[in-house]
Amino acid sequence: MENHLNLILGLPDVTVREFTMLEDGICLKIKLTNLGTHCPLCQSYSTEIHQNRPILVRDLPCFDKATYLQIPRRQFYCRHCQKYFTENLPWIESKRRHTRRYEKNIFERVKSSNLAQVASIEGLSYDEIQGIFNHWASNIAEQQWLGARRISLDEIAMRKGHKNYKAVICDLDRHKLIEVIDGRTQDCLISRLSELPLQVRKAVKEVSVDMWHGFPKVIQEVFPNAQIVTDRFHVMKPLVEELKKIAKSSGVKEQNKLSLFLKNGIDLNNGERDELENLLSSSKSKRLKAAYEYKEEFRQIYETSQTVSEGQNRFEEWLQKARKIYGKVIQTISDHLPTICNYFISHSSSGTMEGINNKIKLIKRQGYGFRNFENFRLRLLSAFS
Ligand SMILES: [Zn+2]
């Protein structure tokens, strides 16, 4: 009988000594079968038990009953170090009141539902579940930055019109969120990012950002080896906005027609292309035709330039030509041209991060009740682990 229980329990060096029914579940009193253990300081083996204080920990449920283990917490004496130490059990972290596998299970379930629901099913308080979740998520959050080479730095508004912005950092190679920061000012970004180990910061080779003037200083201070890339998506945006204005003022009002102008030419299907041709040839506005062609040409430069210098030459030519049509946008692009052209170093763009943004939005909506920023941060980062 006990033999079977040991097998089901599946913990190393453990045997079930006693079984009791509790009001809200079952309790297995267990015995550790190893006589001694290694000192964490000098690794020498000790069998001198100094103290043995049993503790009660929660484990995964057995036959749908809440299951607790009463485990001996043994303190040994190391003759070599002349010190006492508590035995390390691989299946429970020190000072925790749940087995590792139970906590892992809670963590995964919270990720796919929510804290309140898991708390109610497990008969634990909201705060206890939050504690378990945050404990696991913190470990994950620490790992997120490892291996980051190319990243994007962007912002999200927590609620429309509330001026409550968070900075979000994504790994462009692994397509995942790796950090969320409570605020987006220069000082805030510098102080928070400087907490990362220098080794991690030095490994970052490229940071993709929008055209906010505050980013270069942040990047130079925090990531000493990184190239700044003005993100392609953020360069195209004002250009496309301006084209939209021109199209509207030339009499194109309907949304479906407008979208033909704004879409990438290469993404239009045959029907759409014909319709756009008709609109362009029937329009009396030479300005609209030119604006559309310049927009497409700009996109082509992005698509087909191979090197930084090629991209730069072609953009400079383009800026000369398009100046008459795209007045204000030209100035913005000229101001950022060197970092815009850094795009051609590795051709990365955060435009491909749409999936990440959607996931963030979803969690933001679900997490209406996050009690503080840190909880929200850990919830977000876990979703990308
Ligand atoms: Zn020792």
Side-chain angles (χ1 to χ4, degrees), residues 35 49 53 92 100-101 153 155 157 287 290 320 327 352:
L35 294 177
I49 296 175
R53 290 203 188 118
I92 178 169
R100 271 183 205 267
R101 61 189 180 188
L153 181 48
E155 63 189 28
R287 189 158 176 252
Q320 289 303 323
T352 58

Side-chain angles (χ1 to χ4, degrees), residues 101-114:
R101 61 189 180 188
Y102 181 73
E103 296 198 335
K104 175 99 196 303
N105 175 276
I106 294 291
F107 173 74
E108 293 297 337
R109 281 162 60 200
V110 170
K111 260 167 63 173
S112 55
S113 63
N114 64 63

Side-chain angles (χ1 to χ4, degrees), residues 201-206 219-220 222-227:
R201 293 189 279 121
K202 274 184 165 173
V204 174
K205 300 289 180 223
E206 197 179 290
I219 295 164
Q220 278 151 16
V222 180
F223 303 109
N225 297 328
Q227 291 276 5

Side-chain angles (χ1 to χ4, degrees), residues 141 144-145 152-158 164-171 176-184 188-189 192-193 195-196 356 360 363-364 372-384:
Q144 297 288 72
W145 276 90
S152 70
L153 181 48
D154 210 340
E155 63 189 28
I156 48 165
M158 288 305 284
N164 179 5
Y165 289 95
K166 312 290 177 207
V168 289
I169 298 172
C170 296
D171 186 314
K176 65 173 191 176
L177 180 76
I178 58 173
E179 191 57 271
V180 190
I181 295 170
D182 195 7
R184 57 157 180 182
C188 167
L189 291 173
R192 184 66 188 75
L193 289 168
E195 289 170 17
L196 289 165
I356 294 183
I360 293 174
I363 294 168
K364 213 167 67 178
N372 59 48
F373 172 73
E374 189 54 16
N375 289 349
F376 175 62
R377 169 179 174 266
L378 292 174
R379 183 74 173 84
L380 275 181
L381 292 175
S382 308
F384 294 90

Side-chain angles (χ1 to χ4, degrees), residues 39 41-42 44 78 80-81:
C39 164
L41 291 174
C42 70
S44 60
C78 173
H80 184 257
C81 302

Side-chain angles (χ1 to χ4, degrees), residues 296-310:
E296 277 300 300
E297 196 181 318
F298 193 83
R299 195 180 55 74
Q300 280 291 334
I301 299 174
Y302 259 125
E303 294 291 334
T304 56
S305 300
Q306 298 301 318
T307 62
V308 173
S309 61
E310 185 193 350

